[in-house]
Amino acid sequence: MSSATGSMKIMNRVLILVGIAILLCIHNAYCFYLPGVAPEDFHTGDLLNVKVNKLTSIKTQLPYSYYSLPYCRPETIVDSRENLGEVLRGDRIENSPFVFRMREPELCHVVCRMILDANTAKEFKDKIEDEYRVNMILDNLPLVVPVQRLVQEAPPLYQLGFHVGLKGQYAGSKDEKAFIHNHLAFTVKYHKDVQTESARIVGFEVKPFSVKHEYEGTWSESTRLTTCDPHAKKTVTGSNALQEVGDKQEIIFTYDVDFQESDVKWASRWDTYLLMNDDQIHWFSIVNSLMIVLFLSGMVAMIMLRTLYRDISKYNELETQEEAQEETGWKLVHADVFRPPYNSDLLCVYAGTGVQFFGMILVTMIFAVLGFLSPSNRGGLMSAMLLLWVFMGLSAGYASARLYKMFKGTDWKKIALSTAFLFPATIFAAFFILNALIWGQKSSGAVPFGTMFALVLLWFGISVPLVFVGSYIGFKRPAMEDPVKTNKIPRQIPEQAWYMHPIFSILIGGILPFGAVFIELFFILTSIWLNQFYYIFGFLFIVFIILIVTCAEITVVLCYFQLCSEDYLWWWRSYLTSGSSALYLFLYATFYFFTKLEITKPISGLLYFGYMLIASYAFFVLTGSIGFFACLWFTRLIYSSVKID
């Protein structure tokens, strides 16, 4: 009674800690706050405040805040409240001096004038050299640059943000110089409501120009520019001289804004942003890949079902001892097949962590397919994944404790502690090192101390207690009984053929699961590292289902061949067979780095391979656990279906 009472007290304290941590996270708005996406109606003359976001570059992968460059500033810089996902993405959303009035066009509005010194000129030149792009937001819509396709009838492509500047030779000079985009021609598209005369913003575009502005006399706030005169309705043309970046160079920042009525409704305004690429190849490749994998999976399932049915029928027909002595195949190892594996505690931890990953990804996919995690909700996807990971600690503790008890373990607190800390501590340590590298580059992508504290709070305050609660519940359940008895003395494993060698079979087993996802993987990597939107969650969900089926079937097939060869050490091999697909994922990421990316800086390369190593490790845990549980179900099924004397 005292032991049960003590356990109940521990559980009560754990639940109290979880409740306190949840309340603290709710209090910290950036943990759970998701930006609203409700439509906003504007009337003629209403103020439209443009917000600036981070500077991004696909060459360095290091984001910087907009005001890290000496751009024109408003009187007071106000940071927007950002959720956890936005902070981790490196978003830094702030107000700007770009303020429009709804449906009131402007020509050549002067923002500010500045004289560059050597330091500020170098900052601009460095960002232009690394091809940084400026990101802005209006009414939750990101700024895009329209690029005309080669086929004139085709709709234009859209690129997120505009380049800080450009490099090239100018005015007969042989030296390559840097030129800044200091004039922005904005286009705001709106959909008009005929009944209320209000309008909703459905598009935000820009065409950047580099213009060496000229004026007469000395500069003052009322000085008129001869290169860009709003009174004469004269705006920028391609004949203007380019604005060079250099020491003691005078730069005048200006903008135009035009308003265009559009037939696009507010609910469809993100369609343009989500169709930035030619998706024809994408769709055909995905469908082709899925059909091949489905066909192979169907073939494997048919072979397995027919073979197993024949084997079980044959074994159940054996009647005499002489016939039993002539047995060959998987039935011979029935007294050893459920012998606990070497380092079974670690296997329990990894299997439980895999269940946690599986639950997180499955629920995230469902939310994404239903439209709750659209790209319009910046940071929503990452925030949801983190929170689901934390709360899925309950399932991780339960699964690891159930396996631990099946292996005749007795100390459930030890396995709960390992499950709560082994994988997250490894990931957190790697993330901390990578974050220190980003911090050293003074990038906005570095996670600030407050967010780090929030992550640790989520881990220790919610995830760890829930793992212990799950372990307690799982360990209190009756142990899973093996369908056959295990001998005390292990059976000797005969010499195996070369193709049944563990390393060979493990490496072969990872090819098919990787083949199920590598087409989709290309588009996921493109969206992450080339700053594009990913939106086809329906297809991704189908690919995820195919991945599950493929991991399960290839592991079951190779496990069956292994048992037929009288090798009963299947526990770890089943985990590694499907988990080896993570190796191919990392090799493909390496191939992608050298063929698709233009990263040249060592720090950026370290960040890429560091994050892809973390992603591959997580993929290993997920796929390995799927294969392991499929194999566990398969072996229990077949050995409970035959008569064992």
Side-chain angles (χ1 to χ4, degrees), residues 55 64-71 73 114 116-132 164-165 178 180 245-247 251 442 601:
L55 307 174
Y64 289 90
S65 66
Y66 176 81
Y67 294 113
S68 63
L69 286 179
Y71 277 119
R73 297 169 178 252
M114 66 173 62
L116 298 184
D117 56 25
N119 291 331
T120 54
K122 184 179 184 304
E123 290 175 0
F124 275 116
K125 285 181 179 180
D126 289 343
K127 293 297 187 290
I128 294 172
E129 176 71 28
D130 291 331
E131 299 181 9
Y132 270 87
V164 173
I180 190 172
V245 178
D247 188 15
I251 299 181
K442 299 179 180 180
K601 293 188 175 182

Side-chain angles (χ1 to χ4, degrees), residues 233-248:
K233 294 185 179 181
K234 177 182 178 183
T235 187
V236 171
T237 64
S239 60
N240 293 114
L242 301 183
Q243 177 61 65
E244 184 181 346
V245 178
D247 188 15
K248 298 180 180 179

Side-chain angles (χ1 to χ4, degrees), residues 350-362:
Y350 271 104
T353 304
V355 171
Q356 187 176 9
F357 253 114
F358 181 82
M360 176 198 74
I361 293 177
L362 181 63

Side-chain angles (χ1 to χ4, degrees), residues 159-269:
Q159 297 177 346
L160 280 174
F162 63 91
H163 282 111
V164 173
L166 50 93
K167 291 189 67 177
Q169 297 176 351
Y170 183 68
S173 174
K174 295 182 179 179
D175 298 329
E176 195 174 48
K177 297 181 179 180
F179 305 96
I180 190 172
H181 285 141
N182 60 322
H183 180 86
L184 304 175
F186 293 106
T187 301
V188 178
K189 296 183 177 180
Y190 64 92
H191 182 77
K192 186 178 179 180
D193 190 331
V194 180
Q195 296 180 348
T196 63
E197 291 297 319
S198 62
R200 293 176 177 175
I201 295 174
V202 296
F204 186 34
E205 301 176 2
V206 70
K207 290 184 179 179
F209 296 91
S210 179
V211 183
K212 185 174 179 59
H213 284 301
E214 298 175 357
Y215 53 89
E216 296 177 354
T218 58
W219 174 262
S220 67
E221 292 184 0
S222 59
T223 299
R224 291 186 181 182
L225 301 177
T226 59
T227 49
C228 181
D229 188 355
H231 298 278
K233 294 185 179 181
K234 177 182 178 183
T235 187
V236 171
T237 64
S239 60
N240 293 114
L242 301 183
Q243 177 61 65
E244 184 181 346
V245 178
D247 188 15
K248 298 180 180 179
Q249 284 282 346
E250 178 189 48
I251 299 181
I252 300 174
F253 289 90
T254 57
Y255 70 83
D256 301 336
V257 57
D258 185 34
F259 291 88
Q260 293 181 3
E261 188 171 354
S262 172
D263 294 330
V264 177
K265 295 183 178 180
W266 188 89
S268 305
R269 66 177 187 163

Side-chain angles (χ1 to χ4, degrees), residues 348-358 389 396 400 418-419 423-424 621 625:
C348 294
V349 170
Y350 271 104
T353 304
V355 171
Q356 187 176 9
F357 253 114
F358 181 82
W389 165 265
S400 60
S418 300
T419 305
F423 180 83
V621 173
S625 298

Side-chain angles (χ1 to χ4, degrees), residues 36 80 82 128 149 158 280 341 359 365-366 385 393 411 498 525 561 596 637 641:
S80 298
E82 294 153 351
I128 294 172
R149 299 179 192 243
Y158 292 94
Q280 187 174 8
M365 290 272 193
I366 293 173
M385 291 180 69
D411 190 0
W498 65 270
L525 291 178
F561 291 154
K596 299 296 181 181
L637 177 67
S641 302

Side-chain angles (χ1 to χ4, degrees), residues 318-328 332 491 645:
L318 295 176
E319 296 180 355
T320 65
Q321 186 68 23
E322 290 76 18
E323 288 176 317
Q325 290 176 353
E326 295 176 359
E327 292 177 10
T328 58
L332 282 176
R491 177 188 179 93
D645 295 330

Side-chain angles (χ1 to χ4, degrees), residues 25 35 46 118 164 169 230 301 441 476 497 541:
C25 281
D46 287 350
V164 173
Q169 297 176 351
Q441 299 296 310
K476 287 298 179 183
F541 184 72

